[in-house]
Amino acid sequence: MAQLVVFDLDGTITRRDTLLPYAWGFVVRSKLWRLPLLLGVFPSVVGYLLRKNDEGRIKAAFIRCALGGSRRSEIDRWTAQFVPRLLRAGVFNDAMERIAEHRGAGDYLVLMSASTDLYVPVIARQLGFAETICTEVRWNGDRLDGALTTPNRKGEEKARCFTRLREKYSGTSTTAYGNSSADLPHLRLATHGVLVNGSTRARRRAAELGITCVDWS
């Protein structure tokens, strides 16, 4: 019987974070004049360290400093270059095999990521996912603003999204893959939660929660 299968992106399918190389690649290839603007992220970082704001504020500040004001056509052109390179050399082979297995079994695949809709939906389409849930960013007409229009899809917010998916597809068995302690809140809600390449601390907590731990390469 087909099941609902939810994959995290960064560190689960891909070998590392994707937002930083995405933004950095855009800047160094065509917008070197923006490098000094990246210093504008530091106030948000300080605010986070002082517990005055969350990681979403840092993400929005970084996107605005690195990409803000860019035209949609520029972003789309860079995404069209970035995604194939990422999928060619920046993903776990085991993740690709597992996705193919689920797709072949007729499972309903959802890509759920804290990364942004600048490129996550494109990755999802390339890999054959049926649905995407990710952090969304604001546009001012044809120009990228960079502010977040949704909560940062991480931690408990991911768990809330996963709960809504379970309600939408009630009665369906669920499998969820993630890679970090921040993914445990939604992995524990799945019929079968899988922690991929987790840290020692994350593995310990996963074992307490009955979540399977695996190593992918």
Side-chain angles (χ1 to χ4, degrees):
M1 181 177 178
Q3 62 175 322
L4 171 66
V5 180
V6 178
F7 277 83
D8 168 56
L9 177 63
D10 294 357
T12 302
I13 295 175
T14 65
R15 296 181 179 276
R16 55 189 60 86
D17 173 76
T18 55
L19 180 58
L20 180 59
Y22 178 86
W24 181 254
F26 181 83
V27 170
V28 299
R29 282 169 174 76
S30 60
K31 305 286 183 178
L32 284 174
W33 59 268
R34 301 190 74 109
L35 286 174
L37 300 181
L38 295 176
L39 294 174
V41 178
F42 281 100
S44 295
V45 174
V46 172
Y48 176 75
L49 295 175
L50 295 175
R51 299 184 179 181
K52 292 184 177 180
N53 56 256
D54 59 16
E55 291 182 26
R57 289 283 188 90
I58 299 176
K59 181 176 292 184
F62 177 64
I63 293 170
R64 278 178 157 168
C65 291
L67 306 168
S70 299
R71 293 186 181 278
R72 194 180 295 271
S73 58
E74 294 179 286
I75 297 295
D76 289 346
R77 279 197 301 271
W78 171 234
T79 299
Q81 297 176 52
F82 175 81
V83 171
R85 293 173 184 172
L86 175 68
L87 297 182
R88 185 166 55 248
V91 296
F92 291 114
N93 292 330
D94 289 331
M96 296 297 98
E97 291 175 4
R98 192 59 55 88
I99 292 168
E101 289 172 5
H102 284 296
R103 193 170 56 238
D107 294 332
Y108 188 81
L109 289 169
V110 179
L111 184 59
M112 184 164 66
S113 175
S115 289
T116 74
D117 62 351
L118 296 174
Y119 57 91
V120 174
V122 178
I123 293 173
R125 288 194 295 272
Q126 291 284 328
L127 295 180
F129 282 80
E131 187 173 340
T132 307
I133 299 171
C134 61
T135 305
E136 298 176 12
V137 297
R138 177 180 298 145
W139 291 81
N140 291 325
D142 189 48
R143 298 279 186 173
L144 179 65
D145 177 287
L148 306 187
T149 60
T150 66
N152 189 33
R153 307 294 199 195
K154 185 175 181 178
E156 293 298 335
E157 173 60 22
K158 257 189 180 178
R160 284 189 284 273
C161 292
F162 188 82
T163 297
R164 289 195 290 270
L165 280 172
R166 285 197 315 172
E167 293 170 349
K168 182 178 179 181
Y169 301 99
S170 61
T172 303
S173 177
T174 58
T175 295
Y177 298 90
N179 75 297
S180 70
S181 295
D183 291 320
L184 296 179
H186 79 274
L187 295 183
R188 68 184 299 184
L189 299 176
T191 308
H192 184 206
V194 182
L195 181 71
V196 177
N197 297 343
S199 66
T200 299
R201 182 179 179 183
R203 287 172 184 264
R204 187 181 302 117
R205 181 58 179 153
E208 295 171 354
L209 297 171
I211 295 169
T212 302
C213 296
V214 299
D215 293 308
W216 283 356
S217 59

